[in-house]
């Protein structure tokens, strides 16, 4: 061979790349047996450790080529591991709280899990306690509701309450019979107009019919009740059923009728109290009239002037509807006793024509308006007085608190 050719041949042999070395085929991922499912539906520490050990074994086999399985890519290995985790977590229903709280074995070596376990138990106890408290509170709701209504009603009576008691002579008299019939027929009109003039007022009304000593039914009494639809119906039916009867002599038991009316008003906490008396005859006792026909010339029952004083002391507005002059002496004595008490309420005599009983309506409405206005004025005066007293107390307190400065002015 030509040395030159031999040299070229040797160069070609040197330039040829060597055969690649043999590379071990990547082992395939061995099959993974899923651990037994947990009844709670969550992975127990043992299950989680089992999956992790399998994954570690897969990694080890891949690294040293000891696996004889088919080749798998990294993505396939990850997918297989994730799939087994999902299978373990979905193999059972959602965990039951009671079972979870009872399952303490798996928490023995896990301080964080033990802390969460105690927190769960505490929350469970708190929830049970709150449920019990809620049931107890719900059981109290009806009583609290009734108490609220009662207090709210008392508040309204104390600020906007108006109590009206009609006191009427129910003896056998044509004039008084017409007045009784009108009172029953027009009571709704009276109530409607009062409510229109005084919106927000809490109006109650009662009735006292009186006759005389010895009569079968000496008194006809309907206690105070709210003038709503039901109250109006009851009071209207009551007055409409009263029959004028009795009364042998001219004077009647006015003292007894006023006493019954005051008893009704005393039981009320309303801020405005009004007593309206309608009669065509005086009470018993020669001191109250100039009539000769009186079975009890020295009087009977309580003195009318004492009843007048009691009305004034109880802040009861008094209106007398004068039918004739036979009652003038009586009302004069009563008014003097009433005014002697020097209260902020009033005793008013109003002319009334019993032949025109429809005039009862404006007479009562005007009486209520006057009484309500006077009551509102008294309340405002008390408010100003209380505010003034509070202001003086504050000034005095400031002076005491600043006594050092006060004495410094004189040093």
């Amino acid at each position: 061979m030509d040395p030159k050719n031999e040299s070229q041949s040797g160069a070609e042999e040197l330039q040829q790349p060597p055969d690649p070395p043999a590379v071990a085929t990547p082992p395939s991922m061995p099959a993974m047996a899923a651990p037994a499912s947990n009844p709670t539906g969550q992975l127990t520490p043992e299950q989680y450790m089992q999956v992790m050990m399998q994954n570690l074994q897969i990694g080890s086999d891949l690294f040293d080529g000891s696996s004889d399985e088919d080749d798998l890519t990294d993505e396939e290995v990850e997918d297989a591991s994730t799939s087994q985790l999902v299978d373990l977590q979905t193999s059972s229903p959602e965990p039951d709280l009671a079972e979870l709280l009872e399952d303490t074995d798996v928490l023995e070596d896990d301080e964080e899990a033990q802390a969460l376990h105690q927190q769960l138990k505490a929350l469970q106890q708190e929830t049970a306690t709150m449920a019990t408290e809620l049931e107890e509170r719900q059981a109290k709701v009806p009583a609290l509701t009734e108490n609220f209504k009662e207090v709210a009603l008392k508040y309204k009576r104390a600020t906007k309450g108006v109590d009206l008691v009609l006191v009427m002579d129910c003896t056998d008299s044509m004039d008084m019979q017409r007045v009784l019939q009108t009172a029953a027929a027009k009571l709704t009109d009276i109530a409607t107009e009062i409510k229109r003039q005084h919106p927000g007022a809490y109006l109650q009304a009662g009735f006292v019919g009186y006759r005389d000593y010895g009569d079968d039914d000496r008194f006809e009494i309907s206690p105070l009740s709210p003038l709503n639809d039901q109250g109006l119906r009851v009071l209207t039916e009551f007055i409409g059923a009263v029959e004028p009867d009795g009364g042998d002599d001219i004077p009647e038991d006015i003292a007894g009728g006023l006493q019954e009316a005051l008893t009704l008003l005393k039981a009320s906490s309303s801020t405005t109290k009004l007593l309206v008396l309608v009669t065509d005859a005086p009470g018993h006792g020669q001191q109250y009239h100039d009539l000769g026909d009186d079975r009890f010339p020295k009087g009977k029952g309580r003195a009318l002037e004492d009843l007048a004083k009691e009305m004034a002391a109880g802040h009861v507005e008094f209106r007398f509807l004068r039918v004739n002059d036979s009652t003038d002496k009586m009302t004069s004595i009563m008014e003097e006793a009433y005014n002697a008490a020097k209260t902020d309420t009033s005793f008013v005599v109003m002319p009334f024509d019993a032949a025109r009983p429809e005039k009862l309506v404006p007479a009562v409405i005007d009486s209520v308006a006057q009484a309500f206005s006077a009551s509102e004025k008294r309340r405002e005066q008390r408010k100003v007085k209380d505010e003034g007293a509070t202001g003086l107390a504050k000034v005095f307190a400031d002076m005491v608190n600043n006594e050092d400065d006060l004495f410094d002015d004189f040093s």
Side-chain angles (χ1 to χ4, degrees):
M1 175 181 295
D2 185 351
K4 183 177 182 180
N5 291 337
E6 182 179 355
S7 176
Q8 290 178 349
S9 175
E12 289 176 356
E13 289 179 358
L14 290 175
Q15 291 177 357
Q16 289 181 353
D19 293 335
V23 178
T25 304
S28 61
M29 182 178 182
M32 299 174 62
S37 61
N38 179 18
T40 64
Q42 301 293 325
L43 288 178
T44 66
E46 290 82 355
Q47 291 174 326
Y48 186 79
M49 184 63 69
Q50 182 181 0
V51 173
M52 293 300 297
M53 291 299 294
Q54 289 175 338
N55 287 338
L56 287 173
Q57 184 62 43
I58 293 172
S60 176
D61 292 345
L62 288 173
F63 181 78
D64 60 16
S66 61
S67 176
D68 296 331
E69 300 293 332
D70 296 335
D71 295 345
L72 290 177
T73 64
D74 292 341
E75 291 79 5
E76 290 174 328
V77 171
E78 182 178 355
D79 290 343
S81 179
T82 303
S83 175
Q84 291 210 10
L85 285 172
V86 172
D87 289 342
L88 286 171
Q89 292 176 329
T90 60
S91 60
S92 300
E94 290 297 322
D96 180 74
L97 180 59
E99 293 182 2
L100 188 61
L101 291 176
E102 293 175 359
D103 188 9
T104 58
D105 294 339
V106 300
L107 306 175
E108 292 179 355
D109 299 328
D110 192 332
E111 294 183 358
E112 181 180 0
Q114 287 179 355
L116 290 172
H117 183 265
Q118 293 301 319
Q119 186 177 353
L120 277 175
K121 292 181 68 175
L123 288 172
Q124 184 190 38
Q125 180 61 41
E126 183 178 356
T127 301
T129 301
M130 291 179 65
T132 302
E133 292 177 352
L134 180 60
E135 290 180 0
E136 293 175 352
R137 289 171 181 259
Q138 288 176 335
K140 295 178 181 179
V141 168
L144 289 173
T145 301
E146 290 302 317
N147 187 43
F148 174 81
K149 290 180 180 179
E150 182 180 351
V151 173
L153 185 58
K154 287 181 179 179
Y155 174 77
K156 195 166 186 179
R157 286 175 179 169
T159 56
K160 294 288 187 179
V162 179
D163 289 346
L164 165 66
V165 178
L166 282 173
V167 183
M168 301 183 70
D169 182 349
C170 295
T171 56
D172 191 5
S173 165
M174 290 300 296
D175 285 343
M176 295 313 300
Q177 184 175 9
R178 286 193 294 266
V179 174
L180 276 170
Q181 292 172 348
T182 301
K186 298 296 184 180
L187 186 60
T188 299
D189 294 343
I190 292 172
T192 300
E193 182 59 22
I194 291 173
K195 291 178 180 180
R196 188 192 69 80
Q197 291 185 9
H198 309 286
Y202 181 78
L203 180 61
Q204 294 189 121
F207 177 84
V208 175
Y210 66 89
R211 295 187 177 89
D212 205 357
Y213 294 97
D215 292 335
D216 292 338
D217 295 314
R218 185 175 160 198
F219 300 111
E220 304 274 4
I221 301 174
S222 179
L224 286 167
S225 59
L227 282 189
N228 50 28
D229 292 342
Q230 180 181 357
L232 278 170
R233 182 173 62 256
V234 170
L235 187 56
T236 297
E237 291 175 355
F238 183 89
I239 297 175
V242 174
E243 292 288 342
D245 187 31
D248 293 335
D249 55 356
I250 296 177
E252 311 298 354
D253 186 19
I254 291 179
L258 293 177
Q259 181 64 69
E260 294 294 338
L262 285 173
T263 299
L264 294 182
L265 291 171
K266 280 181 181 178
S268 172
S269 59
S270 293
T271 185
T272 304
K273 300 180 179 182
L274 173 63
L275 194 158
V276 178
L277 172 62
V278 186
T279 183
D280 59 357
H284 287 290
Q286 290 288 342
Q287 68 271 32
Y288 302 125
H289 61 81
D290 296 324
L291 305 173
D293 185 15
D294 190 345
R295 290 185 297 155
F296 307 101
K298 294 183 179 181
K300 191 170 179 64
R302 291 189 64 185
L304 293 173
E305 52 267 44
D306 289 343
L307 289 167
K309 291 177 183 178
E310 184 176 338
M311 283 188 280
H315 298 281
V316 177
E317 297 279 348
F318 183 77
R319 299 294 182 270
F320 182 80
L321 302 190
R322 177 183 180 275
V323 176
N324 55 51
D325 59 6
S326 68
T327 57
D328 289 352
K329 189 174 182 180
M330 175 189 72
T331 54
S332 178
I333 294 173
M334 291 179 65
E335 184 175 10
E336 182 178 356
Y338 186 101
N339 291 334
K342 296 182 179 180
T343 63
D344 49 8
T345 52
S346 58
F347 185 112
V348 179
V349 178
M350 306 172 67
F352 179 69
D353 186 358
R356 301 180 62 188
E358 67 277 3
K359 294 297 183 180
L360 177 68
V361 175
V364 173
I365 291 174
D366 290 346
S367 297
V368 171
Q370 294 170 10
F372 190 78
S373 177
S375 179
E376 288 287 285
K377 184 178 180 179
R378 289 193 300 272
R379 196 157 65 90
E380 288 298 322
Q381 289 174 344
R382 285 196 297 269
K383 182 179 178 181
V384 171
K385 184 178 179 180
D386 291 343
E387 289 177 349
T390 302
L392 288 173
K394 186 176 184 302
V395 171
F396 180 75
D398 291 342
M399 291 175 62
V400 172
N401 292 332
N402 299 318
E403 59 180 350
D404 293 339
D405 296 339
L406 183 65
F407 288 111
D408 287 344
D409 293 339
F410 293 94
S411 60

